[in-house]
Amino acid sequence: MTSTDRVTLGKRSTTSEISESAVAVLDEHGTVVAWTQAAEQLLGYSAGDVVGRSAALVLPPSEETPTISALMEQCRAHNDWSGTMTVRHRDGRMLDINHRISMLGGQDGTFRWLVSVTDIGTLSREARNGSVRESLLTHAPIGIVVRDPQLRCVWVNDTAESHDGISRDRRLGQRLADSLPGFEAEALEAVMRRALRNGTTAVHEYRAWPPEDPSREHAFAVSYFCLQDADGKTLGLCGISVDVTGSQRARERLAILSQAATRIGSTLDVMQTGQELADLAVPLLADYAYVDLADSVPFGEEPATRIDTMSDRPTVFLRAGQASIHPGTPESPYARGEKVFVPPTSPLATVLRTGRSHLEPVMDVSPGTWLDHDPARAQKIREHGMHSVMIVPIIARRAVLGVALFVRTQDPVPFHEDDLLLAEELVTRAALSLDNARQYTRERTAALALQRNLLPHRLMGGAAVEAAWRYLPADTDAGVGGDWFDVIPLSGARVALVVGDVVGHGINAAATMGRLRTAVRTLADLELPPDELLAHLDDTFQRLAEQDADAPDQTPTVVGATCLYAVYDPATRKCTMARAGHPPPAIIGPQGRVTFPDLPTGSPLGIGLGIPFEAVELELPEGTLLALYTDGLIETRDDDIDVGMRCLGTALAQPSHSLEDLCTRATETCQGQAPTDDITLLLVRTRSLNPAQVASWTLPNDRTAVRSARHMATRQLTEWGLEGLQDPTQRIVSELVTNAVRHSTGPIGLRLIQHQALTCEVFDPDANSPRLRDARATDENGRGLFLITQLSRRWGTRPEPGGKVIWAEQDLDSAPPHTRASGTPPARKE
């Protein structure tokens, strides 16, 4: 029997068909004994028109229409009969209706017929298409109770007992409060009185545990109709109840699944997705839930088709998410992110091994079970009253990603098969999001690894600059970007500074970045001025894009790039720079003054506009700070780029701080929120060469130039304490000056630079660069550059205004130990 503490009133039903039904009561001969306002609205007849008359009044005159006596006989044969038929409206039109005729028993063995009718044409779309119409007017049992104005039961059908457990004998002649004492009965009677007082139909929904299924809560919708006699006075009340548990659970399931579509998979973070699944399940489905993932999944690795749980060693997982109706999730012995061990004999292991879900409506916590081998879990289960559990494997693309567990503690209702179906549907949806997140993590990890391998691991500023950098990949769904930076040593103690940004994200952007960085280094070796280098880089980028577009299996995803290229000479303290659509550098003077030079913007690489790049030359005091960066540092969703540039300048206006501190300060200050793009910052502090480290001469273009050059170079090396390099330097100088005299006209320049190496430079007005060739035994010339290659660690040529420079570098370590320079050269002796 249903107890009073197991009946709860719910919200008004959204099922419209119950209230759309017209109800009438007939005696055993088919005479109308009670009528409702809904029946009047449907058929046009008032209670005074039909009460006391045969129901044949509403039947159309037709040979195919059965007589009322035939209908009564059919009702007696079936006891409960439903179907469709045509009836006549008072205005003469015909209506197609659904009807259900149910037998009601009263005291002393008397009976009545209750007729419930609904117009098919006026049913709401929900009622026409849904399952409620089928249950109410065709197949599902309905409970019917007719009460007098004092709410005492006078007629009832047999189904009513199966709904609330009250037998016919206990119900007849009694109010509901007498048959089923309690607050809920009084609340239902209040709804009945309201229907009697207003003369309208009232629909309400309540929940109960029927005697036929006492372990499972059911939802019932009850509709109360006010019955009228021939004079329109109230005869009593008719209540029709229907078990709408199936439709109610379907609505709840759809609501949960609808939430799953928006609450699971909001990010591409594996651990966050696991937490979202647990958060959705509690309290909608369970009192406590957790999600464990194979320890390889959060790192983007491919999971196994089946996780091996046959060994004696516990399987290791990571707790990705957990939720509870209690704050702090006291049911869990593990914290989120901790390793979780699954005993080989547990149901969890069986689920992982078979890939099939496990439903345990009543948990077995008695001694002798697998819990004996997991005392920590056993204690939590007993401590928190865990009595029902579902375990569902998380499977995507035939691979097991992990497991989700759902537990009930305070909710006394055990899990059923339909709960398991819902849990499996939720987990299936979450598995797709988890697999997407895993694949994203794998691609992002690969892109980061590729990018970091392509970026410099340390920066060699030499004698020109001190350098520091920061690279912060954005944590976005699009993946890492194509930022790159570099510090490239050039001849003559000079250094090239470069920062670039490839449009797009992911593997393609990182790969393109690597190709461009390699191209920049190759072009830098040619010693091209910044504007010419960017022009060649633009051509290179366009050719790469065309090659990718020509490949049938290649989808070009990178459409452009920006770049800033600068060359700084510590001997002259001059910096020449040009940019291709990139933000200008920030220049912070030794006193902390911040400027952004008026540098021509230039078009981004790969656009193909054909506009020449322009270079600007600046003279920088020693100790000047140069900040080269990508737009991710200065751009936000809320502010203009000018705001970000001002913020950057303010953060760097501390010339006394170390470069590392300034990098940290700039990246933390200018990005108060999660960055939407990769952040790259390259900071360099300029140095200058001591004038004593540079010696230069101008030589006449004649035969005396070679001897003079050898003599001046030897004397300078002696002053620098580099006597050990005199012999190779003399031979290098002789070859370079001889070549200049032979192939050019006009004055010849000679310069020696002692920095971290010894550089010998010879300038001549001839713009043609020499090339190394293999001289034959009979050739008188052609061996000079070969000799220079043997004597120096590297050599090269670079264009200069009015000609070219050929240079060669020697390691200072090649000098004998007692003649090596110790750093600053000795003062010149007068």
Side-chain angles (χ1 to χ4, degrees):
M1 179 178 295
T2 305
S3 62
T4 57
D5 59 348
R6 285 197 168 192
V7 179
T8 59
L9 294 179
K11 62 182 180 180
R12 288 188 60 85
S13 173
T14 58
T15 304
S16 60
E17 184 181 353
I18 299 177
S19 59
E20 291 173 349
S21 298
V23 172
V25 180
L26 312 179
D27 64 12
E28 64 270 21
H29 304 295
T31 300
V32 179
V33 296
W35 197 247
T36 61
Q37 288 186 1
E40 180 178 351
Q41 293 173 0
L42 177 62
L43 299 175
Y45 295 98
S46 67
D49 295 330
V50 295
V51 174
R53 302 178 63 181
S54 172
L57 176 67
V58 300
L59 298 179
S62 171
E63 294 181 357
E64 299 179 357
T65 303
T67 62
I68 192 64
S69 59
L71 284 174
M72 293 298 98
E73 288 297 327
Q74 194 167 3
C75 290
R76 292 188 185 95
H78 295 88
N79 196 30
D80 198 316
W81 178 52
S82 61
T84 60
M85 64 185 304
T86 301
V87 297
R88 180 177 59 190
H89 193 275
R90 184 174 183 178
D91 60 13
R93 57 190 171 90
M94 300 300 166
L95 302 176
D96 293 326
I97 55 104
N98 275 324
H99 71 275
R100 182 162 185 170
I101 305 175
S102 303
M103 185 177 182
L104 307 178
Q107 293 178 333
D108 302 327
T110 58
F111 67 91
R112 292 289 186 268
W113 299 103
L114 183 130
V115 182
S116 176
V117 176
T118 304
D119 183 1
I120 297 176
T122 60
L123 278 176
S124 67
R125 176 173 297 183
E126 178 185 357
R128 288 199 302 270
N129 297 336
S131 61
V132 177
R133 174 173 59 84
E134 294 296 325
S135 65
L136 178 60
L137 294 179
T138 56
H139 304 297
I142 60 174
I144 304 172
V145 179
V146 177
R147 299 182 182 275
D148 62 16
Q150 287 73 42
L151 302 184
R152 293 171 300 197
C153 176
V154 293
W155 309 97
V156 63
N157 73 341
D158 295 335
T159 306
E161 182 177 353
S162 65
H163 285 184
D164 56 19
I166 304 174
S167 65
R168 180 191 300 265
D169 294 338
R170 288 182 55 221
R171 192 190 305 270
L172 286 172
Q174 301 292 322
R175 291 171 46 201
L176 179 62
D178 298 328
S179 305
L180 187 67
F183 168 77
E184 292 79 5
E186 295 177 359
L188 283 172
E189 286 193 348
V191 178
M192 299 179 199
R193 292 190 185 94
R194 186 165 58 250
L196 285 173
R197 182 172 59 252
N198 298 331
T200 57
T201 302
V203 181
H204 212 80
E205 191 173 290
Y206 66 97
R207 297 175 180 272
W209 281 256
E212 295 182 355
D213 190 8
S215 64
R216 186 179 185 185
E217 185 185 53
H218 285 239
F220 295 93
V222 59
S223 182
Y224 295 107
F225 301 87
C226 185
L227 300 175
Q228 298 176 338
D229 61 10
D231 297 328
K233 295 181 180 180
T234 300
L235 281 175
L237 190 76
C238 173
I240 300 178
S241 63
V242 59
D243 190 339
V244 294
T245 302
S247 60
Q248 177 69 18
R249 290 182 181 273
R251 289 195 299 270
E252 293 173 351
R253 181 176 287 106
L254 288 174
I256 294 175
L257 294 178
S258 176
Q259 292 190 47
T262 57
R263 292 177 56 183
I264 298 178
S266 62
T267 68
L268 287 174
D269 181 85
V270 174
M271 300 293 283
Q272 179 62 28
T273 302
Q275 184 60 47
E276 289 170 349
L277 173 57
D279 288 338
L280 178 63
V282 176
L284 295 178
L285 181 61
D287 297 330
Y288 165 57
Y290 67 72
V291 176
D292 288 345
L293 298 176
D295 55 358
S296 62
V297 172
F299 302 100
E301 299 177 13
E302 194 72 26
T305 303
R306 288 287 183 269
I307 295 178
D308 181 19
T309 58
M310 296 296 292
S311 64
D312 294 335
R313 300 175 61 184
T315 306
V316 181
F317 285 88
L318 287 179
R319 178 62 50 88
Q322 56 188 14
S324 169
I325 59 175
H326 301 107
T329 320
E331 299 93 335
S332 176
Y334 301 98
R336 185 166 177 256
E338 283 188 348
K339 289 186 177 181
V340 177
F341 300 93
V342 177
T345 57
S346 69
L348 287 164
T350 303
V351 168
L352 294 169
R353 184 170 57 251
T354 62
R356 294 192 296 269
S357 301
H358 172 78
L359 170 62
E360 196 170 341
V362 180
M363 292 182 63
D364 185 4
V365 295
S366 60
T369 65
W370 66 274
L371 290 172
D372 293 344
H373 305 286
D374 196 345
R377 289 181 196 263
Q379 180 181 355
K380 290 290 184 179
I381 289 174
R382 297 186 179 97
E383 179 181 345
H384 296 280
M386 303 183 192
H387 62 86
S388 189
V389 64
M390 296 186 296
I391 307 172
V392 181
I394 305 174
I395 300 176
R397 295 187 298 114
R398 300 182 179 180
V400 178
L401 305 180
V403 63
L405 183 139
F406 309 90
V407 175
R408 280 183 175 165
T409 55
Q410 288 191 357
D411 188 345
V413 181
F415 287 121
H416 289 80
E417 290 292 340
D418 54 352
D419 296 315
L420 181 60
L421 291 175
L422 176 58
E424 289 177 335
E425 180 65 25
L426 287 177
V427 171
T428 298
R429 297 193 179 199
L432 296 176
S433 298
L434 283 167
D435 193 51
N436 289 337
R438 181 193 61 79
Q439 293 187 68
Y440 162 76
T441 300
R442 180 179 60 184
E443 179 175 337
R444 186 173 186 273
T445 301
L448 279 173
L450 174 62
Q451 189 174 47
R452 283 172 175 154
N453 286 330
L454 293 174
L455 291 175
H457 296 280
R458 61 174 183 163
L459 301 178
M460 303 295 293
V465 296
E466 175 192 2
W469 57 274
R470 286 290 186 277
Y471 169 67
L472 303 176
D475 189 15
T476 64
D477 295 348
V480 297
D483 290 11
W484 91 91
F485 62 93
D486 217 338
V487 176
I488 307 171
L490 301 177
S491 63
R494 298 172 309 134
V495 67
L497 311 172
V498 58
V499 167
D501 184 4
V502 175
V503 176
H505 294 81
I507 290 288
N508 289 320
T512 302
M513 174 273 290
R515 298 162 83 178
L516 285 181
R517 178 172 179 255
T518 301
V520 169
R521 277 193 161 263
T522 302
L523 293 171
D525 285 343
L526 299 178
E527 305 272 7
L528 296 175
D531 52 343
E532 293 185 26
L533 183 141
L534 290 180
H536 285 285
L537 187 63
D538 186 31
D539 292 339
T540 301
F541 191 96
Q542 292 186 54
R543 287 196 301 271
L544 291 175
E546 291 170 359
Q547 293 172 5
D548 291 344
D550 292 339
D553 58 343
Q554 182 78 20
T555 302
T557 57
V558 179
V559 295
T562 64
C563 183
L564 172 66
Y565 185 82
V567 175
Y568 173 70
D569 187 345
T572 62
R573 301 195 313 276
K574 291 182 179 179
C575 183
T576 306
M577 59 186 70
R579 59 177 176 149
H582 202 83
I587 300 179
I588 299 90
Q591 305 305 319
R593 181 172 178 268
V594 181
T595 59
F596 291 89
D598 186 12
L599 189 62
T601 304
S603 61
L605 304 174
I607 302 300
L609 297 181
I611 301 176
F613 298 98
E614 299 181 49
V616 171
E617 185 178 82
L618 303 173
E619 186 170 340
L620 305 177
E622 183 176 4
T624 297
L625 185 68
L626 274 174
L628 283 68
Y629 52 90
T630 56
D631 55 7
L633 180 63
I634 59 174
E635 284 186 348
T636 65
R637 294 188 179 97
D638 303 324
D639 298 321
D640 294 334
I641 191 172
D642 292 341
V643 176
M645 293 172 66
R646 288 196 299 270
C647 177
L648 175 62
T650 302
L652 297 178
Q654 304 289 335
S656 61
H657 288 212
S658 69
L659 293 185
E660 289 295 333
D661 289 343
L662 290 175
C663 279
T664 302
R665 177 184 175 90
T667 52
E668 290 180 352
T669 303
C670 298
Q671 282 295 326
Q673 56 187 354
T676 57
D677 198 2
D678 288 10
I679 292 175
T680 298
L681 174 63
L682 173 62
L683 291 183
V684 297
R685 183 173 280 133
T686 63
R687 298 167 174 164
S688 63
L689 295 178
N690 189 316
Q693 292 178 264
V694 183
S696 58
W697 304 270
T698 300
L699 305 172
N701 195 325
D702 56 31
R703 295 181 179 179
T704 64
V706 176
R707 184 173 56 187
S708 299
R710 289 168 58 90
H711 175 72
M712 290 184 288
T714 300
R715 186 176 61 183
Q716 187 62 53
L717 292 179
T718 300
E719 292 186 6
W720 284 343
L722 298 177
E723 292 88 348
L725 294 177
Q726 287 182 357
D727 182 59
T729 302
Q730 289 179 354
R731 300 174 68 180
I732 290 173
V733 168
S734 297
E735 293 296 337
L736 294 181
V737 174
T738 299
N739 188 70
V741 171
R742 181 175 299 164
H743 298 287
S744 68
T745 60
I748 298 171
L750 171 63
R751 185 168 72 162
L752 296 180
I753 306 173
Q754 183 215 3
H755 48 105
Q756 294 177 340
L758 175 65
T759 301
C760 176
E761 297 181 345
V762 173
F763 168 84
D764 67 68
D766 182 23
N768 296 319
S769 298
R771 62 184 181 88
L772 182 66
R773 62 188 180 91
D774 187 11
R776 292 173 297 181
T778 57
D779 291 341
E780 296 183 2
N781 301 307
R783 297 181 178 85
L785 292 181
F786 178 78
L787 177 62
I788 291 175
T789 301
Q790 302 299 313
L791 295 174
S792 62
R793 69 177 186 182
R794 64 177 188 143
W795 70 273
T797 179
R798 67 174 183 267
E800 289 283 347
K804 68 176 183 296
V805 168
I806 303 177
W807 55 269
E809 285 185 359
Q810 301 176 74
D811 288 323
L812 297 181
D813 291 343
S814 61
H818 66 279
T819 61
R820 291 178 193 166
S822 60
T824 304
R828 183 186 299 271
K829 297 180 180 179
E830 299 295 339

